[in-house]
Amino acid sequence: MKLKLALAGAGLFGEEHLRVMSRMADVEIAGIADVNAKAAESAAQRYGALDWGTDIIAQLDRRKTDGLIIATPGQTHVPIAKQALERGIPVLVEKPMAMTAAEAATLVEREALSQAFILPGHVLRFSKPHRLIADIVGSGGIGRLLSLTARRYRDDSHALRYPDIDPIMMTMIHDIDLALWMAGAPVHEVLALRNPAHEQRAQTVVTARDRNGAAWTLATAWTFALDAAPPDRLEIVGERGGIDFETGAYLRQYGAKVREIDLAREEPDDPLYTEVAYFADRIRSGRPPETVTAKDAHAGLLIAEAALASLSQGGIVKLPG
């Protein structure tokens, strides 16, 4: 029997999820909801959804649904997810899982009381190159982690398309999650800088130190011309080696073991497909997620909030604990 998945949000992110679901032979699109009725109807017609409308909760109540993917604006993630959890329906929530750490904490609490689960949409945890990097670091292949540097630049259309969400929450949240994953330690202190200050079309640099002593440097910029942004990069330095990674180009390991993987020659990576397939598998098995959890997303939002506080107040922000 096919798994019935519903989608909240028929915008850009929702469209990507629909393309993925339409390729899965064992998944049926139970319904699509969007505040824009025409967008919901159009998406339903293109992808053969069983139901469509403007109210996802009404859809969940009138039609059997095994799981819900939430790809609506960030401010709506928490209320929709709570309603689904109350109905025992697992949710895949696009990033950011919530707009504040406090909201994320309420979701963690609600999940604990529900028979369902939350899978945060931190898609890079399902990327083959990133999983290999995590395996190298986790196995001690480069020794104790000393520093992690990440770059994630986007074109300046993002400043117009997402005027109500800070680049830290929209783009850098990926690298905050990656750093937490790779370093395996919470952050002690954060300093954030932005130039030009108080603008979306700007570069933001966040430096942090985790409780194992590793230094993080995370950068994002929404300043490039369309299709002119350089590829994402990740560099990790350990006591006995390092890793240098550029999306779609190469992955290099240095130290006792030296290797280079030409990613252009590898099979194309499709982390979103892997993420949705993992979501479907966890629904069928009844097992909660392990690759990334609501608690992981909450930990990342604590760091993102500290970075936003640093931008607002100036200076270093120390995290409790």
Side-chain angles (χ1 to χ4, degrees):
M1 184 178 295
K2 289 187 176 183
L3 198 70
K4 292 179 171 59
L5 298 182
L7 173 74
L12 292 174
F13 289 141
E15 183 77 18
E16 291 300 314
H17 282 282
L18 288 168
R19 289 192 189 114
V20 164
M21 286 189 282
S22 69
R23 291 161 47 201
M24 295 180 169
D26 56 352
V27 165
E28 191 169 42
I29 302 174
I32 300 171
D34 195 281
V35 292
N36 183 330
K38 289 184 178 179
E41 181 180 16
S42 175
Q45 290 174 348
R46 291 197 309 275
Y47 292 98
L50 302 176
D51 197 354
W52 66 271
T54 58
D55 187 342
I56 187 59
I57 305 307
Q59 280 190 38
L60 297 180
D61 286 338
R62 69 173 174 256
R63 184 177 292 276
K64 181 183 182 301
T65 304
D66 299 307
L68 171 65
I69 296 175
I70 302 174
T72 52
Q75 295 85 350
T76 67
H77 289 180
V78 170
I80 294 174
K82 284 182 176 179
Q83 291 285 336
L85 291 173
E86 286 180 2
R87 290 160 174 76
I89 298 172
V91 289
L92 190 168
V93 187
E94 265 296 348
K95 54 81 189 169
M97 184 179 77
M99 297 306 295
T100 68
E103 284 185 337
T106 67
L107 273 188
V108 171
E109 293 170 359
R110 192 65 60 91
E111 180 187 41
L113 298 173
S114 174
Q115 295 180 342
F117 64 78
I118 300 167
L119 177 66
H122 287 290
V123 68
L124 295 182
R125 296 234 188 182
F126 299 89
S127 156
K128 290 179 182 177
H130 290 93
R131 291 185 68 81
L132 176 56
I133 294 168
D135 287 344
I136 294 169
V137 174
S139 66
I142 59 171
R144 184 174 70 88
L145 192 146
L146 301 179
S147 70
L148 182 148
T149 304
R151 176 186 81 188
R152 193 169 303 275
Y153 297 158
R154 296 294 181 263
D155 65 73
D156 56 8
S157 72
H158 282 60
L160 298 174
R161 285 158 52 196
Y162 308 111
D164 299 326
I165 182 166
D166 193 274
I168 289 174
M169 298 290 285
M170 184 70 187
T171 307
M172 190 180 287
I173 196 72
H174 282 299
D175 295 305
I176 291 172
D177 182 66
L178 280 179
L180 276 170
W181 179 27
M182 303 295 175
V187 159
H188 171 60
E189 57 186 17
V190 173
L191 172 66
L193 302 169
R194 175 167 291 162
N195 192 12
H198 313 300
E199 292 189 21
Q200 294 286 84
R201 190 185 183 283
Q203 181 175 34
T204 306
V205 178
V206 170
T207 59
R209 187 176 299 276
D210 69 35
R211 295 196 177 277
N212 287 339
W216 304 2
T217 304
L218 314 178
T220 191
W222 290 359
T223 59
F224 293 84
L226 188 64
D227 298 326
D232 301 336
R233 293 201 62 189
L234 178 65
E235 180 182 294
I236 299 175
V237 176
E239 285 187 321
R240 298 195 305 275
I243 297 167
D244 188 16
F245 166 73
E246 185 171 292
T247 299
Y250 59 80
L251 192 163
R252 299 173 182 143
Q253 180 180 352
Y254 305 94
K257 183 173 184 178
V258 177
R259 61 174 157 175
E260 178 170 350
I261 300 173
D262 183 349
L263 297 175
R265 295 177 178 271
E266 297 289 302
E267 291 185 7
D269 189 27
D270 193 345
L272 184 61
Y273 185 97
T274 305
E275 178 186 72
V276 176
Y278 179 84
F279 179 54
D281 176 73
R282 291 288 153 152
I283 294 172
R284 290 192 180 92
S285 69
R287 293 178 296 154
E290 297 172 353
T291 300
V292 59
T293 68
K295 289 182 178 179
D296 294 326
H298 174 245
L301 284 165
L302 286 171
I303 298 168
E305 277 194 352
L308 291 170
S310 177
L311 285 178
S312 175
Q313 303 165 13
I316 294 172
V317 173
K318 294 187 180 294
L319 280 79

